[in-house]
Amino acid sequence: MKRVVGIGGVFFKAKNPETLGAWYRDHLGFDLAKWGGAVFQSSGADEKTAWSLFSTDSSYFAPSTQPFMINYRVDDLHALLAQLRAEGCEVDAKVDESEYGKFGWVMDLEGNRVELWEPPRT
């Protein structure tokens, strides 16, 4: 069974998301969208990677206390979450499904929240 097949996004907290976003825009050339993040298109592929900043008081990464979270692209979220549970991993009971795809979460051994994302089928 395939597990992770790519990185879906990189997310981290910032003391001032607007200012830090402007730094990335100005110094590294990030093309920031109105929602505050950027989407990178791989050359020659139909895969995109999101980049976004969160306020330092955001609880989106909870229960992790780390200032970042990596989103990994997967082919079959429900099968992978079941496999992770069977392996004794700490898997969040919640799964979000929307027009953006399916999202699930697992904590790594050091308490980092890892987001797993199955993109919508096109």
Side-chain angles (χ1 to χ4, degrees):
M1 167 196 343
K2 285 186 181 178
R3 299 225 180 195
V4 169
V5 294
I7 294 177
V10 176
F11 313 102
F12 57 97
K13 295 179 181 182
K15 292 178 184 173
N16 187 326
E18 294 80 18
T19 301
L20 188 58
W23 186 92
Y24 276 87
R25 180 195 64 225
D26 296 344
H27 298 285
L28 298 181
F30 281 34
D31 184 15
L32 299 178
K34 289 181 181 178
W35 51 271
V39 175
F40 300 98
Q41 180 72 41
S42 299
S43 59
D46 192 29
E47 293 183 4
K48 296 178 181 179
T49 300
W51 177 90
S52 186
L53 298 170
F54 286 73
S55 172
T56 55
D57 62 358
S58 173
S59 62
Y60 191 69
F61 306 160
S64 175
T65 58
Q66 298 297 330
F68 65 90
M69 181 177 66
I70 306 294
N71 167 295
Y72 294 102
R73 188 180 295 113
V74 301
D75 284 331
D76 186 341
L77 178 66
H78 291 291
L80 179 53
L81 293 177
Q83 182 66 34
L84 292 170
R85 285 186 185 100
E87 294 170 356
C89 295
E90 184 182 339
V91 177
D92 195 319
K94 175 182 162 185
V95 172
D96 282 347
E97 297 190 27
S98 71
E99 67 271 18
Y100 303 111
K102 300 174 186 174
F103 297 86
W105 299 269
V106 62
M107 298 293 285
D108 74 13
L109 290 178
E110 294 191 4
N112 298 303
R113 184 169 168 93
V114 176
E115 187 169 67
L116 302 171
W117 170 54
E118 179 183 333
R121 302 290 180 218
T122 55

